[in-house]
Amino acid sequence: MAAQFGRRVVKGAATTAVAALAVAALSASQAPGVTDTPQGRQSADSQPSPDANADGSATGNSPYYTDLPPLNSPTPSPSAGGGTPGATGDAAAGIPATVLDAYKKAETSLGQSKPGCKLPWQLLAAIGKVESGQARGGKVDANGTATPAILGPVLDGNGFARITDTDGGAYDGDTTHDRAVGPMQFIPSTWAWAGRDGNDDGKKDPNNIYDAALAAGHYLCRFDWDLSDRADLRRAILSYNNSTEYLNTVLSWLEYYRKGTHEVPDGTGTLPSSRSDGGNGSSSSPTPTSPRTTTPSGRPQGGGSTSPSPTPPSDTPTPPPTTTPPASSKPTPTETVDHLEDAGTAKLTATAGDTFGERIATRAETKAGKTVGKVRVRFTIVGDTDAAFTGGESVATVVTNSAGVATAPALKAGEKTGGFTVRATVVGRAVSGLDYAATVTARQADALARTTDTALTCVPGGEFADQVEVKATYKGAAADRVAATATLIKAADDATENDKGPYFKDADGKTVRTLAGLKTGANGLLKLPRLYADDTAGTYLLRITTTGGATLTVELKVAAAAS
């Protein structure tokens, strides 16, 4: 059984409105880079503006903690990385040991796999603070798994977004609607493609801080964003939760953690006290009020008001609701989708290493053929291929526009040649997927030329002074990583391997007259190993061929030295 993360409560009209304004103002004042216009409104670049290809948000725009960092800057840790055991500071600024370790390991991993993203662990810490209070103050087991599980409120449209079940309850225990899950609060449909195994235990568990931190890092880096760039940083944070206040709060904690932090034992971290939905965040899992029974007169027993009110904090797990939505509820756009149609995608073919010139476009339609906007379409690369979408991901989720069309991110071919499939499906809707066939062809060259015109000569039994170097081009441009073969042939019209004359040596020093598996390097250059000559004088031919049909025949002469 998993503990609920919280329920939305009705805010007091006057008091909460004032508090919200105060929090927003303080967020803006503390967040680096947030500016105000003379009229007091935030500048345009502080408004939510996620990438058009973003999946709405990682969290389904679920509630989050709004507490701001302490006003006093933390005392820098002795080490440059921060988080040194024994360092001291405000309790609210401390990060539980296992949680901090997970953030730093994720930074190291992303530094190797996506160095251009420049992900700082402090950003993960800032998001983790805002999403779950650092896994509820570090309530994790020895493997880093939150105990009990962390679940956001039911996304049933009652004060939140309405997202019908996408995982059969596998992650959130709810087979009717989705809920954000784990320390980094991923909704199941996002975790399905963004999930990672951060602790190498063979599982992708959104409730494990190592898995969740690594997944959050990949999510923030998925569009080749450079997080050292202010604009890209803001886009990435807004794609996680599309709210200006959320952006400001995360930026505030990011700036705070960059100045230094300290490690605290697991389970002793301070849980935030304020939430964006008006709930009390002083505990990990507010429990709903006890069910009321009704007397024949229709009045509730036990007294008290029937109006919603904040509930006392508790860690008692609460089962997810099993009721279905009212029959009268208006269907969401997703629920109206009957099928997917191709939106004019042309043939998908690319040379290895190149970006496909065509982008996949899919249109969501009702049974009557009417287009449906605001529907999440997931594109998944299927098959034995190393092709990937922008950012290196094999899955991308895109929201359909007003014309009902979702356009997948640019698709880049890997080095594996052959065919594969990109499958489009509707997130949260069991309708047939739409498959797009794609083909990766081998790198090619249509011309070969020597880089010098020096004559290649050798005395019998000697070695050629110069090595053969050629340049491969394709349509006039350098052709790098093109497969090539070099063979000493018998004659111009006989490509059979020669059994005498010049030769190469293998690693063991044995005679070799055919070299296969060669590849051109940078700028299309290919330099062959040194050539040797046996005792037979004469004129010989070396033929080099590449994928794509480029061929070059080079003349070699073996003759006694002039007296």
Side-chain angles (χ1 to χ4, degrees):
M1 300 287 286
Q4 290 190 45
F5 195 46
R7 279 190 173 184
R8 181 177 177 86
V9 295
V10 176
K11 301 180 181 180
T15 304
T16 306
V18 173
L21 288 173
V23 170
L26 187 55
S27 296
S29 67
Q30 289 193 341
V34 178
T35 59
D36 290 337
T37 66
Q39 290 74 28
R41 297 180 180 179
Q42 292 175 318
S43 59
D45 64 355
S46 67
Q47 299 303 319
S49 56
D51 189 283
N53 290 329
D55 182 18
S57 73
T59 68
N61 295 329
S62 293
Y64 55 88
Y65 288 116
T66 58
D67 293 38
L68 295 169
L71 293 177
N72 295 326
S73 297
T75 302
S77 302
S79 69
T84 302
T88 60
D90 192 292
I95 300 178
T98 298
V99 177
L100 179 61
D101 184 58
Y103 295 149
K104 291 187 175 182
K105 279 184 167 56
E107 178 194 54
T108 299
S109 177
L110 268 296
Q112 297 170 349
S113 62
K114 296 183 179 180
C117 181
K118 301 174 186 175
L119 171 80
W121 67 262
Q122 291 92 340
L123 176 58
L124 297 176
I127 291 176
K129 180 72 173 182
V130 172
E131 290 296 346
S132 67
Q134 310 298 19
R136 294 178 312 210
K139 290 185 178 180
V140 296
D141 63 18
N143 296 319
T145 302
T147 54
I150 302 174
L151 291 178
V154 178
L155 299 176
D156 58 2
N158 183 23
F160 309 111
R162 181 180 174 188
I163 303 178
T164 54
D165 177 61
T166 63
D167 65 332
Y171 296 120
D172 57 11
D174 193 329
T175 57
T176 304
H177 297 94
D178 273 348
R179 308 170 74 172
V181 183
M184 305 304 277
Q185 288 290 278
F186 280 97
I187 53 174
S189 61
T190 302
W191 183 261
W193 63 266
R196 293 292 190 279
D197 178 12
N199 60 351
D200 298 322
D201 64 353
K203 298 183 295 182
K204 299 176 182 178
D205 181 1
N207 269 296
N208 182 277
I209 186 58
Y210 288 99
D211 295 357
L214 184 59
H218 277 278
Y219 184 91
L220 294 166
C221 293
R222 70 196 185 286
F223 289 127
D224 283 342
W225 281 325
D226 176 359
L227 301 185
S228 67
D229 177 79
R230 178 174 175 271
D232 279 359
L233 173 64
R234 298 169 78 86
R235 292 188 189 100
I237 296 172
L238 284 169
S239 78
Y240 209 89
N241 193 314
N242 194 4
S243 160
T244 300
E245 184 181 351
Y246 179 88
L247 168 70
N248 292 339
T249 307
V250 169
L251 287 174
S252 296
W253 281 104
L254 170 60
E255 186 70 12
Y256 190 85
Y257 287 139
R258 276 176 168 166
K259 293 177 180 177
T261 185
H262 60 286
E263 180 182 295
V264 299
D266 289 345
T268 65
T270 301
L271 197 67
S273 59
S274 301
R275 290 174 53 79
S276 62
D277 61 357
N280 186 333
S282 61
S283 177
S284 59
S285 55
T287 304
T289 53
S290 301
R292 300 178 184 272
T293 57
T294 305
T295 63
S297 63
R299 285 183 292 198
Q301 293 180 338
S305 169
T306 59
S307 300
S309 59
T311 54
S314 169
D315 278 332
T316 305
T318 301
T322 56
T323 58
T324 57
S328 60
S329 62
K330 182 179 179 180
T332 64
T334 299
E335 292 169 336
T336 67
V337 176
D338 175 75
H339 59 274
L340 293 175
E341 290 285 346
D342 176 38
T345 306
K347 186 176 181 180
L348 295 168
T349 303
T351 301
D354 291 347
T355 299
F356 284 77
E358 182 73 12
R359 291 175 64 175
I360 299 171
T362 301
R363 185 172 56 254
E365 296 183 355
T366 65
K367 189 172 184 179
K370 183 179 179 180
T371 60
V372 186
K374 297 182 180 180
V375 172
R376 290 174 295 156
V377 175
R378 180 179 297 143
F379 297 94
T380 305
I381 297 174
V382 181
D384 184 17
T385 179
D386 53 354
F389 292 114
T390 301
E393 304 293 346
S394 61
V395 179
T397 305
V398 183
V399 179
T400 58
N401 59 22
S402 58
V405 176
T407 302
L411 183 64
K412 185 174 182 180
E415 294 303 316
K416 289 185 179 180
T417 59
F420 65 95
T421 299
V422 178
R423 181 164 298 150
T425 55
V426 178
V427 177
R429 183 73 171 159
V431 298
S432 298
L434 188 60
D435 287 351
Y436 295 85
T439 304
V440 178
T441 59
R443 294 173 182 266
Q444 301 178 49
D446 55 16
L448 281 172
R450 285 188 63 197
T451 57
T452 68
D453 56 3
T454 305
L456 298 167
T457 61
C458 180
V459 297
E463 66 179 53
F464 287 81
D466 297 306
Q467 291 176 251
V468 177
E469 183 180 63
V470 298
K471 181 173 183 178
T473 56
Y474 182 70
K475 295 182 179 179
D480 63 323
R481 286 186 282 179
V482 174
T485 301
T487 305
L488 278 307
I489 61 175
K490 289 186 175 181
D493 57 354
D494 185 356
T496 305
E497 180 182 292
N498 210 337
D499 55 2
K500 60 182 178 180
Y503 61 90
F504 301 104
K505 290 182 180 180
D506 65 12
D508 297 324
K510 295 180 180 179
T511 299
V512 175
R513 289 192 169 90
T514 297
L515 296 177
L518 302 172
K519 278 193 176 181
T520 61
N523 299 321
L525 297 177
L526 173 63
K527 194 170 188 176
L528 300 182
R530 191 169 296 281
L531 279 161
Y532 301 86
D534 61 13
D535 294 332
T536 308
T539 298
Y540 299 91
L541 298 177
L542 168 66
R543 180 161 292 168
I544 305 169
T545 59
T546 69
T547 304
T551 300
L552 176 66
T553 302
V554 181
E555 187 176 85
L556 308 173
K557 289 186 177 181
V558 179
S563 58

